[in-house]
Amino acid sequence: MGCLYSKNARNVPGYEEPTVLAAETPFTVDEVQALYELFKKISSSIIDDGLIHKEEFQLALFRNRNRRNLFADRVFDLFDLKRNGVIEFGEFVRSLGVFHPNAPMADKIAFAFRLYDLRHTGYIEREELKEMVLALLHESDLVLSDDVVEMIVDKTFKDADTKGDGRIDQEEWKEFVSRYPSLMKNMTLPYLKDITLAFPSFVLSSEVEDSE
Amino acid sequence: TTPLTMNAFELISTSQGLNLSSLFEK
Protein backbone atom coordinates (compact mmCIF):
# COMPACT_ATOMS: atom_id res chain seq x y z
CA MET A 1 0.00 0.00 0.00
CA GLY A 2 2.79 2.37 0.88
CA CYS A 3 4.47 1.71 -2.46
CA LEU A 4 1.19 2.25 -4.26
CA TYR A 5 0.80 5.58 -2.50
CA SER A 6 4.23 6.83 -3.44
CA LYS A 7 4.18 5.63 -7.06
CA ASN A 8 0.65 6.81 -7.83
CA ALA A 9 0.90 10.04 -5.92
CA ARG A 10 4.05 11.10 -7.75
CA ASN A 11 2.11 11.07 -11.01
CA VAL A 12 -0.45 13.53 -9.67
CA PRO A 13 0.06 17.11 -10.94
CA GLY A 14 1.22 19.39 -8.15
CA TYR A 15 2.24 16.48 -5.95
CA GLU A 16 5.09 17.25 -3.58
CA GLU A 17 7.09 14.91 -1.37
CA PRO A 18 5.73 14.66 2.19
CA THR A 19 9.24 15.18 3.58
CA VAL A 20 9.50 18.54 1.79
CA LEU A 21 6.04 19.65 2.93
CA ALA A 22 6.69 18.49 6.50
CA ALA A 23 9.88 20.57 6.59
CA GLU A 24 8.00 23.71 5.56
CA THR A 25 4.85 23.30 7.68
CA PRO A 26 3.93 22.36 11.27
CA PHE A 27 2.97 18.85 10.05
CA THR A 28 5.01 15.69 10.51
CA VAL A 29 5.62 13.39 7.53
CA ASP A 30 2.92 11.01 8.83
CA GLU A 31 0.47 13.89 9.12
CA VAL A 32 1.22 15.06 5.56
CA GLN A 33 0.58 11.51 4.37
CA ALA A 34 -2.71 11.40 6.29
CA LEU A 35 -3.64 14.75 4.72
CA TYR A 36 -3.07 13.14 1.33
CA GLU A 37 -5.93 10.75 2.14
CA LEU A 38 -8.21 13.72 2.83
CA PHE A 39 -6.93 15.51 -0.28
CA LYS A 40 -7.60 12.43 -2.44
CA LYS A 41 -11.13 12.19 -1.09
CA ILE A 42 -11.97 15.85 -1.81
CA SER A 43 -10.10 16.06 -5.13
CA SER A 44 -11.84 13.00 -6.57
CA SER A 45 -15.36 13.89 -5.48
CA ILE A 46 -16.42 15.33 -8.85
CA ILE A 47 -13.45 15.12 -11.24
CA ASP A 48 -10.83 12.53 -10.34
CA ASP A 49 -7.78 14.49 -11.50
CA GLY A 50 -5.80 14.98 -8.30
CA LEU A 51 -6.74 18.66 -8.05
CA ILE A 52 -9.38 20.36 -5.92
CA HIS A 53 -11.75 22.36 -8.09
CA LYS A 54 -13.98 25.11 -6.66
CA GLU A 55 -17.09 22.90 -6.83
CA GLU A 56 -15.30 20.10 -4.98
CA PHE A 57 -14.26 22.55 -2.28
CA GLN A 58 -17.86 23.76 -1.96
CA LEU A 59 -19.09 20.17 -1.82
CA ALA A 60 -16.64 19.34 0.98
CA LEU A 61 -17.55 22.46 2.95
CA PHE A 62 -21.31 22.58 2.45
CA ARG A 63 -22.28 19.11 1.11
CA ASN A 64 -23.53 21.10 -1.87
CA ARG A 65 -21.41 21.67 -4.97
CA ASN A 66 -23.44 24.67 -6.13
CA ARG A 67 -23.56 26.65 -2.93
CA ARG A 68 -21.68 29.88 -3.58
CA ASN A 69 -20.37 31.75 -0.56
CA LEU A 70 -18.16 34.83 -0.53
CA PHE A 71 -16.00 33.57 2.32
CA ALA A 72 -15.53 30.07 0.88
CA ASP A 73 -14.51 31.77 -2.38
CA ARG A 74 -11.94 33.85 -0.51
CA VAL A 75 -10.55 30.79 1.31
CA PHE A 76 -10.33 28.89 -1.99
CA ASP A 77 -8.51 31.81 -3.65
CA LEU A 78 -6.01 32.04 -0.79
CA PHE A 79 -5.35 28.28 -0.88
CA ASP A 80 -4.83 28.53 -4.65
CA LEU A 81 -1.33 29.95 -4.24
CA LYS A 82 -0.46 29.63 -7.95
CA ARG A 83 -3.73 31.36 -8.88
CA ASN A 84 -4.56 28.78 -11.55
CA GLY A 85 -8.11 28.02 -10.40
CA VAL A 86 -7.39 24.71 -8.62
CA ILE A 87 -5.82 23.64 -5.34
CA GLU A 88 -2.88 21.27 -5.68
CA PHE A 89 -1.73 18.96 -2.90
CA GLY A 90 1.23 21.15 -1.91
CA GLU A 91 -0.99 24.22 -1.77
CA PHE A 92 -3.53 22.32 0.33
CA VAL A 93 -0.93 21.27 2.91
CA ARG A 94 0.86 24.63 3.06
CA SER A 95 -2.42 26.52 3.48
CA LEU A 96 -3.85 24.14 6.07
CA GLY A 97 -0.56 24.49 7.92
CA VAL A 98 -1.64 28.00 8.92
CA PHE A 99 -4.67 26.42 10.65
CA HIS A 100 -2.53 23.97 12.66
CA PRO A 101 -2.73 24.53 16.43
CA ASN A 102 1.07 24.93 16.48
CA ALA A 103 1.26 27.46 13.63
CA PRO A 104 2.45 30.95 14.63
CA MET A 105 -0.39 33.30 15.60
CA ALA A 106 1.17 35.98 13.38
CA ASP A 107 0.57 33.73 10.34
CA LYS A 108 -3.06 33.20 11.33
CA ILE A 109 -3.61 36.95 11.80
CA ALA A 110 -2.00 37.71 8.43
CA PHE A 111 -4.07 35.02 6.67
CA ALA A 112 -7.33 36.43 8.12
CA PHE A 113 -6.31 39.93 7.03
CA ARG A 114 -5.77 38.75 3.44
CA LEU A 115 -9.10 36.94 3.60
CA TYR A 116 -10.94 40.13 4.47
CA ASP A 117 -8.93 42.36 2.11
CA LEU A 118 -11.38 41.53 -0.68
CA ARG A 119 -9.85 43.77 -3.32
CA HIS A 120 -6.20 43.02 -2.46
CA THR A 121 -5.34 46.63 -1.71
CA GLY A 122 -3.36 45.86 1.43
CA TYR A 123 -6.13 47.40 3.54
CA ILE A 124 -9.58 46.41 4.76
CA GLU A 125 -11.87 49.19 3.66
CA ARG A 126 -15.27 50.18 5.01
CA GLU A 127 -17.04 49.13 1.81
CA GLU A 128 -15.43 45.69 2.03
CA LEU A 129 -16.52 45.32 5.64
CA LYS A 130 -20.11 46.22 4.74
CA GLU A 131 -20.04 43.84 1.75
CA MET A 132 -18.92 41.01 4.05
CA VAL A 133 -21.61 41.76 6.65
CA LEU A 134 -24.26 41.75 3.91
CA ALA A 135 -22.87 38.45 2.57
CA LEU A 136 -23.09 36.94 6.05
CA LEU A 137 -26.70 38.10 6.42
CA HIS A 138 -27.49 36.66 3.00
CA GLU A 139 -26.21 33.20 3.95
CA SER A 140 -27.90 33.18 7.36
CA ASP A 141 -31.43 33.65 8.58
CA LEU A 142 -30.50 36.94 10.23
CA VAL A 143 -32.48 39.94 9.08
CA LEU A 144 -31.08 43.36 9.99
CA SER A 145 -32.22 46.68 8.59
CA ASP A 146 -29.76 48.71 6.55
CA ASP A 147 -29.63 51.26 9.40
CA VAL A 148 -28.56 48.56 11.84
CA VAL A 149 -25.96 47.20 9.40
CA GLU A 150 -24.58 50.71 8.94
CA MET A 151 -24.42 51.16 12.71
CA ILE A 152 -22.55 47.87 13.24
CA VAL A 153 -20.10 48.61 10.41
CA ASP A 154 -19.52 52.20 11.59
CA LYS A 155 -18.95 51.18 15.18
CA THR A 156 -16.55 48.38 14.23
CA PHE A 157 -14.68 50.51 11.76
CA LYS A 158 -14.15 53.33 14.25
CA ASP A 159 -12.98 50.78 16.82
CA ALA A 160 -10.48 49.15 14.43
CA ASP A 161 -9.30 52.16 12.41
CA THR A 162 -7.32 53.67 15.26
CA LYS A 163 -5.31 55.92 12.92
CA GLY A 164 -8.58 57.31 11.54
CA ASP A 165 -7.54 57.27 7.89
CA GLY A 166 -10.62 55.39 6.69
CA ARG A 167 -9.00 52.00 6.23
CA ILE A 168 -7.71 49.19 8.41
CA ASP A 169 -4.06 48.31 7.89
CA GLN A 170 -2.24 45.20 9.07
CA GLU A 171 -0.94 46.88 12.21
CA GLU A 172 -4.43 48.05 13.21
CA TRP A 173 -5.81 44.59 12.42
CA LYS A 174 -3.23 42.95 14.68
CA GLU A 175 -4.14 45.31 17.50
CA PHE A 176 -7.89 44.80 16.93
CA VAL A 177 -7.51 41.01 17.03
CA SER A 178 -5.56 41.25 20.28
CA ARG A 179 -8.63 42.98 21.77
CA TYR A 180 -11.06 40.47 20.23
CA PRO A 181 -9.19 37.14 20.25
CA SER A 182 -12.37 35.19 19.45
CA LEU A 183 -11.95 36.47 15.88
CA MET A 184 -9.09 34.01 15.46
CA LYS A 185 -11.08 30.97 16.60
CA ASN A 186 -11.77 29.85 13.00
CA MET A 187 -8.07 30.05 12.23
CA THR A 188 -7.21 26.99 14.34
CA LEU A 189 -8.48 23.52 13.46
CA PRO A 190 -7.93 21.13 16.39
CA TYR A 191 -8.60 18.25 13.95
CA LEU A 192 -5.20 18.86 12.41
CA LYS A 193 -3.51 17.59 15.57
CA ASP A 194 -5.32 14.28 15.20
CA ILE A 195 -5.24 14.01 11.45
CA THR A 196 -3.42 10.66 11.53
CA LEU A 197 -6.27 9.25 13.65
CA ALA A 198 -8.90 10.62 11.28
CA PHE A 199 -7.16 9.23 8.18
CA PRO A 200 -5.03 6.36 9.48
CA SER A 201 -5.00 4.11 6.40
CA PHE A 202 -1.78 5.36 4.88
CA VAL A 203 0.07 5.74 8.16
CA LEU A 204 -0.63 2.11 9.03
CA SER A 205 0.49 0.90 5.61
CA SER A 206 3.59 3.09 5.63
CA GLU A 207 4.60 1.73 9.01
CA VAL A 208 4.36 -1.77 7.58
CA GLU A 209 6.54 -0.71 4.67
CA ASP A 210 9.05 0.97 7.00
CA SER A 211 9.41 -2.19 9.08
CA GLU A 212 10.13 -4.36 6.07
CA THR B 1 -24.50 37.05 22.24
CA THR B 2 -26.84 38.70 19.73
CA PRO B 3 -25.80 40.24 16.41
CA LEU B 4 -26.39 43.71 17.85
CA THR B 5 -23.75 43.26 20.52
CA MET B 6 -21.24 41.70 18.13
CA ASN B 7 -18.79 43.73 16.11
CA ALA B 8 -18.86 43.31 12.32
CA PHE B 9 -15.88 40.93 12.24
CA GLU B 10 -17.40 38.75 14.98
CA LEU B 11 -20.55 38.56 12.88
CA ILE B 12 -18.58 37.67 9.73
CA SER B 13 -16.58 35.00 11.53
CA THR B 14 -19.77 32.99 12.05
CA SER B 15 -19.93 32.28 8.30
CA GLN B 16 -20.05 28.61 7.36
CA GLY B 17 -17.60 29.43 4.59
CA LEU B 18 -14.97 30.18 7.24
CA ASN B 19 -15.60 27.01 9.21
CA LEU B 20 -13.09 24.65 7.63
CA SER B 21 -13.70 21.95 10.23
CA SER B 22 -16.45 20.64 7.94
CA LEU B 23 -13.71 19.52 5.53
CA PHE B 24 -12.82 16.84 8.06
CA GLU B 25 -16.31 15.48 8.59
CA LYS B 26 -16.85 12.09 7.03
Side-chain angles (χ1 to χ4, degrees), chain B residues 1-22:
Chain B
T1 310
T2 64
L4 291 176
T5 61
M6 294 165 92
N7 72 51
F9 288 108
E10 286 171 325
L11 203 53
I12 290 164
S13 69
T14 64
S15 170
Q16 276 189 53
L18 295 175
N19 183 9
L20 298 192
S21 59
S22 46

Side-chain angles (χ1 to χ4, degrees), chain A residues 114-161:
Chain A
R114 288 165 58 219
L115 200 59
Y116 297 148
D117 175 14
L118 299 181
R119 305 195 216 305
H120 322 114
T121 55
Y123 302 95
I124 301 170
E125 286 154 52
R126 193 189 180 285
E127 274 310 299
E128 291 171 323
L129 189 56
K130 185 171 178 187
E131 186 179 334
M132 291 187 281
V133 171
L134 292 177
L136 183 275
L137 295 179
H138 183 71
E139 77 167 77
S140 69
D141 295 330
L142 280 173
V143 179
L144 299 177
S145 70
D146 195 55
D147 283 352
V148 172
V149 171
E150 284 288 329
M151 188 196 77
I152 292 172
V153 172
D154 261 345
K155 195 164 172 274
T156 304
F157 213 83
K158 277 181 191 145
D159 193 9
D161 178 23

Side-chain angles (χ1 to χ4, degrees), chain A residues 173-201:
Chain A
W173 173 245
K174 201 175 159 189
E175 195 270 328
F176 189 72
V177 165
S178 73
R179 284 190 280 130
Y180 300 97
S182 68
L183 293 179
M184 286 296 107
K185 211 175 155 195
N186 280 339
M187 292 302 306
T188 294
L189 296 168
Y191 295 82
L192 292 174
K193 270 213 155 174
D194 301 319
I195 192 73
T196 54
L197 299 177
F199 295 91
S201 57

